[in-house]
Amino acid sequence: MFEYKIEQINTEKTKAARVEAQLNALGKDDWELVAVTPDFDGEHILKAFLKRRAA
């Protein structure tokens, strides 16, 4: 069984290194990136879908 999480990422206001650090920190907490999709504006707001095994 998995648990799921959505992280919203604003690439207009956040530098790539900061986004990378955010996703790496989630990876260290056993979250696995499943997909990244554009949100309402289709350009700068992204949704990262993550999953990890439930305890």
Side-chain angles (χ1 to χ4, degrees):
M1 184 163 255
F2 292 97
E3 62 181 308
Y4 297 91
K5 176 179 189 167
I6 297 173
E7 288 286 316
Q8 192 170 15
I9 300 168
N10 185 339
T11 59
E12 182 177 37
K13 297 180 180 178
T14 307
K15 296 188 186 280
R18 177 111 166 85
V19 172
E20 181 182 4
Q22 178 184 3
L23 293 175
N24 282 337
L26 288 164
K28 290 179 182 176
D29 198 23
D30 294 331
W31 287 102
E32 177 185 340
L33 183 63
V34 175
V36 176
T37 60
D39 199 0
F40 65 91
D41 77 348
E43 186 175 352
H44 297 293
I45 308 296
L46 306 174
K47 283 187 178 176
F49 294 89
L50 303 117
K51 73 175 183 179
R52 71 175 173 187
R53 290 213 177 268

